[in-house]
Amino acid sequence: MVPRLICTFAIRAPGLRGVFDLALELLGSCNAEFVQGLEHAIRTRIVDVEWESRDTVIEFVTRAVREHAWPRVELLVTRQVVDDAVRALSDAEEYVRASAAYLLAALVERGDEERARYVSGHKHLTQSDLARLVADSEAFVKRAALDLVHALGTRGIGTTWFECLTYRMLYDLADDPDFEVRVRCARILALLTQNSPVNTSELQSTSLLLEMCRDSSRYVRAECLRSLRELKQNTQDVDMTNEPEPKRVYVGERTDLCEKLRNVDLAQLEASLSAEHLYQEALDTQVARELMREKSDANAGNNILDCY
């Protein structure tokens, strides 16, 4: 019954969300026949002419992957559904592009090895495809794209996630007006510094990460602090075990990394996240712009309203 309702094109996005909420509950106790019918319905509605319906379908699959154990949704997220999601990365509607990137990131993070590798090696998810998505004009699409890049890098599958990045791109992301984009950039810089499959000297990931410690947003600084602490702990663990080099970090870079980490005052960086500092930050960046100021002699009355 539920798959049949989903296939009913007369039911638009608002009603479709209610049907998908019911389907999400049923996934926990349904049989294989129901899941296969649901997969067919998803593939039918993901090409809907209404972008909101396409977006709703993709969001449902993402929720299913994140809220249920993989064996429960394995039959739902077939290779054909992955193909549809990859095609949706080029959708004319930015919300659909973002939802598709979030779905693929969820599949890489929570899917089995076969499905994650299928996403990573997809013929329509190349280096240039990822680079185009990361450079999208919409900030929320960039966030989703960076989550996908980070998921691929964390899972350690392939090198497409790394090859799509350039120093200029990372520099622009580190200076993006959207602080959530900058937070994700900091995560990727830490990942590049610690877990890159090839030499990262051209990307200057460590230098950019340290530069971002002075970011105006406390959320970005907090992410930098977390990343630097993890990097510092990892380098110390390697030294204690007398290993020749940490995982996937090159010897020449390791020496430079350790030297830079020793010069970072993590206590001062943590202090910049305190309530007192945040209060002063708000005064400096927000309140100052709203204050009315005398334009001539003090108390000359030039800020008094004309009605008085």
Side-chain angles (χ1 to χ4, degrees), residues 88-103:
L89 293 175
S90 302
D91 197 279
E93 177 55 50
E94 56 267 23
Y95 289 101
V96 178
R97 297 198 298 272
S99 295
Y102 281 129
L103 169 56

Side-chain angles (χ1 to χ4, degrees), residues 21-45:
D21 286 340
L22 176 59
L24 199 63
E25 293 180 14
L26 295 175
L27 267 178
S29 57
C30 62
N31 54 32
E33 183 180 355
F34 175 84
V35 179
Q36 290 170 347
L38 195 57
E39 186 268 349
H40 172 74
I42 285 170
R43 297 206 61 214
T44 300
R45 290 305 295 270

Side-chain angles (χ1 to χ4, degrees), residues 71-135:
R72 278 287 175 189
V73 296
E74 186 174 6
L75 293 176
L76 180 70
V77 193
T78 60
R79 288 192 172 199
Q80 290 75 22
V81 171
V82 174
D83 293 340
D84 292 335
V86 172
R87 276 192 291 271
L89 293 175
S90 302
D91 197 279
E93 177 55 50
E94 56 267 23
Y95 289 101
V96 178
R97 297 198 298 272
S99 295
Y102 281 129
L103 169 56
L104 293 173
L107 286 174
V108 172
E109 291 172 5
R110 298 180 58 85
D112 59 11
E113 190 73 10
E114 187 274 333
R115 197 69 84 251
R117 288 194 177 278
Y118 184 71
V119 172
S120 175
H122 200 282
K123 62 181 180 180
H124 295 304
L125 192 61
T126 62
Q127 170 187 343
S128 58
D129 294 320
L130 274 177
R132 172 180 49 78
L133 199 64
V134 171

